[in-house]
Amino acid sequence: VYIANVVKCRPPDNRKPEPAEMATCLPFLHEQLELVQPRAIVALGATAVAGMLGATEGITRMRGTWKRYRGRIPVMPTFHPAYLLRDPSKKADVWKDLQEVMRLLGRLPSRGR
């Protein structure tokens, strides 16, 4: 497991990063991912998905659906942990998403077995 952020420093008052801030930091994330060569990425929250994939669709619609980072690395968008603290009922959705990641990595049996 390797944890990385789209933005490498916290914006003032912990606000959502602005597009220009994400764009400034994105080359660092790209380089990190090139070095780490992950087999899969779990994008936690709308900011991560927007920064990595350029997606504008909401996280609620995207979560649980495989995407691709740079056309090659599977990305599973899911809810950010802070959101789960505000709405614990969404934990089951994230659990399903993480099971799909584990399935992709060969850590769970395929569906239908």
Side-chain angles (χ1 to χ4, degrees):
V1 174
Y2 181 82
I3 299 172
N5 290 307
V6 170
V7 177
K8 303 305 179 190
C9 56
R10 185 172 296 197
D13 300 320
N14 202 27
R15 64 165 165 69
K16 181 180 174 181
E18 296 173 0
E21 292 166 331
M22 286 193 279
T24 298
C25 294
L26 209 49
F28 297 104
L29 179 64
H30 292 315
E31 183 66 23
Q32 286 176 297
L33 293 172
E34 282 299 316
L35 292 170
V36 174
Q37 292 291 305
R39 291 175 38 209
I41 296 170
V42 178
L44 298 173
T47 301
V49 174
M52 288 186 63
L53 305 176
T56 56
E57 190 176 5
I59 188 67
T60 301
R61 296 186 91 150
M62 292 186 70
R63 67 137 292 273
T65 305
W66 286 106
K67 306 294 181 197
R68 292 264 170 194
Y69 168 77
R70 294 196 160 180
R72 54 190 175 91
I73 302 172
V75 177
M76 176 58 72
T78 196
F79 296 123
H80 191 280
Y83 177 72
L84 299 178
L85 292 174
R86 294 189 303 274
D87 189 351
S89 71
K90 302 298 184 191
K91 288 180 182 181
D93 291 333
V94 174
W95 180 245
K96 289 176 195 171
D97 298 343
L98 293 177
Q99 287 178 315
E100 289 303 316
V101 173
M102 295 303 287
R103 203 169 269 112
L104 176 89
L105 297 175
R107 302 293 179 148
L108 287 178
S110 299
R111 291 183 181 267
R113 274 195 198 179

